[in-house]
Amino acid sequence: MRRRTYGLALAAGVLLASTACASPEGREPQAAAGTRAIRPAEGCGEDSWTDPADLSPARTPARCRPGAPPPQRLPETRELTIATGTLSAEYVAPLRVALDKGEFRKEGLDVTLKVLPTPDALPLLAKGDLDALWAAPEAAVMNGVRGGFDIRWVAGNFSPGTRSKSGLWVRLKQGENANRVAMAGRKLGTMIGKGSVIAYPMEKALEKHGGGLAEIQYQQLGSADVLTALENGGVDSAWLLDPVWRKVDGKPGYAFLGGQPPGEPLGGLLYGPSLLNEDVDAGVALLRAYIRTVNTYFSADYKTNETFITYLAKLLKTDERILRSTPSLHMDWEIRAGTTDRLQSAYVAQGVSEGDPLPESRTVTRALYEEAVGHQR
């Protein structure tokens, strides 16, 4: 079976080699051209947009009223396919709920969620065979965009709850504690390996503990094997996601070194040429449905709603007790300024980035979610 690190490199290679799909370097998508009329969206006021430069961990995510922005049904039904690596993870919940509650249908969208790993989805997205990807601007995405493809990060997904310890965990050696761990030379267990967006928060955590992204060894493991390898000594450290980290939280000999920066989403929706250029109206409609779902069902600490959590556990086909065991995610459709700059810096440190860093204008388009909530620049 192919390893995922190989898959990421292969995806980038396929993208860069398929020159028939490439656009002239630096061409601005129609979605970001600034020629579309922006109209106020009922139920979306000043709180529906925050300054992208606000990197405060305590920043309150943008919100409209529940049920807003209201649907604006397209004249003809548009079939869209969104690829996602999983259907059961909590961060996919807004898409699952939007589909189940008919929010996409209200916009005239017939949406299909297709389970597909990012390396397999990227070439299809670049060619327009997929309309969107629910993932992250990983190194393979950056390398593909550098090759001239119309792929942009158009909306965020979430940042962790303040009580979450999803992130970098380590087995302590004699004499170490959570405030000082010698990370250089340690082996890290991770599901994705090099080139993932976790490189950025890992770099921040490692800086505090005498290590760096180039000074650790990477061991790619299956999702069910990461915790086992950490517990049995197969790896010295691991990136543990919700709710896996709870298995070692509070146990002697383990320490949490840091996770995703609060208030800064590192993934979300990526659009290809079909929604960036060919049917921008559908691209806005998709984001409108997504944003409305967040405002209606995920506007606050949604895990305090007993009925909703029971519903969500059934929808995601996950154990309700496990879903309740971790803090609510801060669902957040906005993209912070400079995130892709910081990600690319981490990819360079890992040795997986090709060429000069891309400016944010080549990686991010905020215009579609701004139009959805009626924000005038």
Side-chain angles (χ1 to χ4, degrees):
M1 184 174 70
R2 292 182 304 169
R3 298 173 66 87
R4 185 174 174 85
T5 46
Y6 170 74
L8 284 169
L10 177 63
V14 170
L15 284 169
L16 294 169
S18 303
T19 54
C21 304
S23 65
E25 185 175 346
R27 186 184 76 177
E28 188 175 45
Q30 290 184 25
T35 58
R36 294 175 60 83
I38 307 297
R39 299 179 177 84
E42 183 181 352
C44 296
E46 292 183 0
D47 293 338
S48 65
W49 182 87
T50 66
D51 184 352
D54 183 357
L55 300 179
S56 169
R59 176 184 63 89
T60 300
R63 288 293 184 265
C64 303
R65 293 202 301 262
Q72 298 180 34
R73 189 176 183 85
L74 298 172
E76 296 182 1
T77 299
R78 175 76 155 85
E79 295 183 357
L80 299 181
T81 301
I82 305 172
T84 174
T86 177
L87 291 175
S88 60
E90 188 175 343
Y91 67 86
V92 188
L95 295 187
R96 298 294 309 276
V97 172
L99 192 61
D100 188 64
K101 296 291 187 180
E103 298 297 344
F104 294 131
R105 289 197 302 272
K106 294 175 184 177
E107 300 285 352
L109 301 175
D110 181 2
V111 171
T112 298
L113 299 181
K114 183 181 182 69
V115 176
L116 203 60
T118 297
D120 297 329
L122 276 177
L124 301 178
L125 182 66
K127 291 189 296 183
D129 293 341
L130 288 173
D131 299 290
L133 173 61
W134 186 254
E138 297 176 347
V141 176
M142 297 294 101
N143 291 335
V145 173
R146 189 174 290 106
F149 290 93
D150 289 330
I151 298 176
R152 295 290 192 279
W153 185 19
V154 300
N157 52 7
F158 75 94
S159 62
T162 54
R163 294 179 290 109
S164 175
K165 294 182 181 179
S166 172
L168 182 60
W169 285 80
V170 63
R171 287 174 61 97
L172 297 172
K173 296 180 180 179
Q174 187 172 1
E176 292 182 333
N177 58 60
N179 295 319
R180 186 60 183 172
V181 179
M183 286 299 297
R186 299 224 181 177
K187 184 180 292 185
L188 173 79
T190 171
M191 291 186 293
I192 298 177
K194 292 184 178 181
S196 164
V197 292
I198 67 168
Y200 159 43
M202 274 178 47
E203 185 174 46
K204 293 174 67 70
L206 290 171
E207 286 174 352
K208 304 175 184 177
H209 297 280
L213 293 174
E215 299 176 83
I216 59 175
Q217 304 172 51
Y218 296 86
Q219 179 69 48
Q220 189 176 357
L221 300 165
S223 59
D225 302 323
V226 175
L227 177 63
T228 301
L230 181 65
E231 290 179 320
N232 65 22
V235 296
D236 307 296
S237 59
W239 190 269
L240 302 181
L241 301 175
D242 290 332
V244 179
W245 59 266
R246 293 189 62 88
K247 299 288 183 67
V248 294
D249 188 30
K251 283 189 176 181
Y254 294 93
F256 173 61
L257 301 187
Q260 179 177 333
E264 185 175 12
L266 299 181
L269 275 168
L270 304 175
Y271 277 6
S274 65
L275 297 183
L276 289 173
N277 291 305
E278 298 163 18
D279 196 347
V280 181
D281 286 345
V284 175
L286 176 59
L287 287 185
R288 196 163 45 236
Y290 163 50
I291 292 170
R292 184 169 58 253
T293 301
V294 170
N295 289 322
T296 305
Y297 301 99
F298 299 94
S299 60
D301 187 359
Y302 53 90
K303 291 191 177 181
T304 60
N305 186 326
E306 300 288 332
T307 302
F308 180 67
I309 289 303
T310 299
Y311 157 78
L312 195 60
K314 183 177 180 180
L315 184 67
L316 298 177
K317 296 182 179 178
T318 190
D319 190 314
E320 186 174 336
R321 293 171 298 177
I322 294 176
L323 192 61
R324 293 177 183 276
S325 70
T326 54
S328 296
L329 301 177
H330 292 163
M331 301 302 185
D332 189 353
W333 65 77
E334 293 189 307
I335 300 171
R336 299 294 88 198
T339 296
T340 56
D341 297 334
R342 292 183 284 276
L343 289 172
Q344 289 180 91
S345 176
Y347 300 152
V348 169
Q350 284 188 324
V352 294
S353 181
E354 303 174 6
D356 296 330
L358 294 164
E360 191 177 80
S361 61
R362 295 279 308 281
T363 61
V364 173
T365 295
R366 297 183 180 85
L368 299 179
Y369 70 67
E370 290 177 338
E371 179 178 339
V373 300
H375 174 71
Q376 297 273 5
R377 297 191 193 186

